[in-house]
């Protein structure tokens, strides 16, 4: 093809057809420019397809993360609600004078003392930010995802802060009473009777009650944040579903 155009140029120059040569030259330039524009358009089209495929991949990963967070928040809210009911029901025992210290202790020890750790799925969002691909996400959705991440981090920090009081009581109590296993071991040693928890039952009940109180307060605050987050998660899923290609 190049030889063909070169031959035409030579023929025009040899025959001194300058006007036609310039017209031909302009036409050739136009053809070259059109070819370049077509090539650029094809390249941009290919790049747009690649970006859209990557964007769709991120959308699907985000939906997976959010669905996992919804499952986690559902189970955590149920766990917190169950504990809070047990705690509030147990408060009625303190107004019953027929219940002795040992029975109060046995009722308290049956209530779960460990707290569920709050963790959320942020791997896809971290990948978007670290790779710079966050710009691929539609602006409204991008802002909602950033706000969601901030809210999740705030809920975790607040829960850890309020739950810290409970952990400090547990640590201090363990210095006085040891572990439940320690109490079983002491029963095997007649010379250490004064260390047994029966001799410090009132202090042990106070430590347990204080522990449960801190846990209850931390979960009450967390519950409100988790329920608000669930609404936020569902709204984000709706936004993503509108962008996902079926």
């Amino acid at each position: 093809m190049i030889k063909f155009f070169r031959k035409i140029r030579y023929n025009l120059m040899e025959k001194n057809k300058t006007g036609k040569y310039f017209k031909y030259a302009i036409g050739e330039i136009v053809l070259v420019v059109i070819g370049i524009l077509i090539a650029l358009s094809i390249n941009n089209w290919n790049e747009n397809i690649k970006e859209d495929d990557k964007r769709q991949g991120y959308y699907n990963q985000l939906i997976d993360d959010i669905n996992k967070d919804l499952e986690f928040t559902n189970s955590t809210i149920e766990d917190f609600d169950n504990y809070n009911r047990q705690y509030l029901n147990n408060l009625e025992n303190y107004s019953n004078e027929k219940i002795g210290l040992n029975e109060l202790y046995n009722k308290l020890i049956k209530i779960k003392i460990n707290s569920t750790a709050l963790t959320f799925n942020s791997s896809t969002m971290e990948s978007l930010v670290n790779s710079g691909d966050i710009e691929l996400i539609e602006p409204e959705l991008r802002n909602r995802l950033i706000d969601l991440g901030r809210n999740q981090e705030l809920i975790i920090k607040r829960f850890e802060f309020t739950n810290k009081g409970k952990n400090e009581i547990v640590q201090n109590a363990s210095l006085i009473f040891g572990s439940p296993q320690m109490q079983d071991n002491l029963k095997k040693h007649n010379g250490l009777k004064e260390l047994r928890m029966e001799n410090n039952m009132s202090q042990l009940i106070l430590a347990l009650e204080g522990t449960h109180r801190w846990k209850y307060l931390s979960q009450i605050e967390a519950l409100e944040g988790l329920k608000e987050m669930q609404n936020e998660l569902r709204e984000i899923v709706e936004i993503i579903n509108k962008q996902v290609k079926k």
Side-chain angles (χ1 to χ4, degrees), residues 163-206:
N163 200 41
K164 183 180 178 182
K166 184 210 76 173
N167 294 332
E168 290 177 349
I169 294 176
V170 172
Q171 291 172 359
N172 292 334
S174 67
L175 295 176
I176 301 173
F177 308 108
S179 65
Q181 292 78 13
M182 182 61 181
Q183 293 301 322
D184 291 336
N185 293 333
L186 290 175
K187 294 177 181 179
K188 304 173 185 177
H189 197 297
N190 291 327
L192 298 176
K193 291 182 179 180
E194 67 277 7
L195 295 179
R196 294 176 186 173
M197 67 181 185
E198 290 85 352
N199 300 324
N200 300 288
M201 185 59 70
S202 58
Q203 290 178 283
L204 181 57
I205 289 176
L206 288 173

Side-chain angles (χ1 to χ4, degrees), residues 1-104:
M1 184 65 70
I2 295 175
K3 291 182 178 179
F4 174 75
F5 287 125
R6 186 180 296 143
K7 184 177 181 180
I8 294 176
R9 289 199 301 270
Y10 287 155
N11 289 336
L12 292 173
M13 291 177 66
E14 288 176 358
K15 295 178 181 180
N16 292 322
K17 296 181 179 180
T18 307
K20 289 185 178 181
Y21 174 79
F22 281 118
K23 289 180 182 179
Y24 166 79
I26 293 173
E28 188 174 336
I29 292 172
V30 171
L31 288 175
V32 172
V33 171
I34 292 174
I36 293 173
L37 291 175
I38 291 173
L40 289 174
S41 297
I42 294 174
N43 183 65
N44 290 336
W45 182 68
N46 289 331
E47 289 299 319
N48 289 336
I49 290 177
K50 291 179 181 179
E51 286 188 355
D52 190 56
D53 288 343
K54 183 184 290 188
R55 184 184 297 109
Q56 292 296 316
Y58 279 127
Y59 284 158
N60 290 322
Q61 291 174 30
L62 286 168
I63 289 177
D64 287 341
D65 284 352
I66 292 175
N67 285 333
K68 290 177 182 176
D69 282 343
L70 282 170
E71 291 178 5
F72 172 75
T73 53
N74 281 332
S75 62
T76 302
I77 288 173
E78 182 179 356
D79 180 62
F80 284 7
D81 281 337
N82 288 336
Y83 168 83
N84 291 346
R85 280 194 296 270
Q86 292 179 21
Y87 171 77
L88 294 175
N89 290 336
N90 186 72
L91 291 180
E92 299 176 2
N93 294 324
Y94 296 108
S95 60
N96 188 348
E97 295 182 357
K98 295 181 180 180
I99 298 179
L101 292 182
N102 286 335
E103 189 174 355
L104 280 175

Side-chain angles (χ1 to χ4, degrees), residues 85-184:
R85 280 194 296 270
Q86 292 179 21
Y87 171 77
L88 294 175
N89 290 336
N90 186 72
L91 291 180
E92 299 176 2
N93 294 324
Y94 296 108
S95 60
N96 188 348
E97 295 182 357
K98 295 181 180 180
I99 298 179
L101 292 182
N102 286 335
E103 189 174 355
L104 280 175
Y105 168 79
N106 289 330
K107 290 181 179 296
L108 270 172
I109 204 68
K110 290 179 181 179
I111 304 176
K112 179 183 174 183
I113 201 168
N114 295 330
S115 298
T116 301
L118 297 184
T119 57
F120 303 104
N121 293 277
S122 58
S123 58
T124 302
M125 191 61 186
E126 290 174 359
S127 296
L128 283 167
V129 173
N130 294 335
S131 65
D133 289 339
I134 189 67
E135 297 299 325
L136 294 174
I137 305 302
E138 186 268 333
E140 179 190 1
L141 176 58
R142 181 169 66 238
N143 293 334
R144 291 295 298 271
L145 290 170
I146 292 173
D147 290 340
L148 173 64
R150 290 171 180 167
N151 291 338
Q152 289 176 334
E153 185 177 353
L154 179 60
I155 289 175
I156 291 173
K157 286 184 177 179
R158 285 294 304 166
F159 182 71
E160 290 177 346
F161 176 77
T162 55
N163 200 41
K164 183 180 178 182
K166 184 210 76 173
N167 294 332
E168 290 177 349
I169 294 176
V170 172
Q171 291 172 359
N172 292 334
S174 67
L175 295 176
I176 301 173
F177 308 108
S179 65
Q181 292 78 13
M182 182 61 181
Q183 293 301 322
D184 291 336

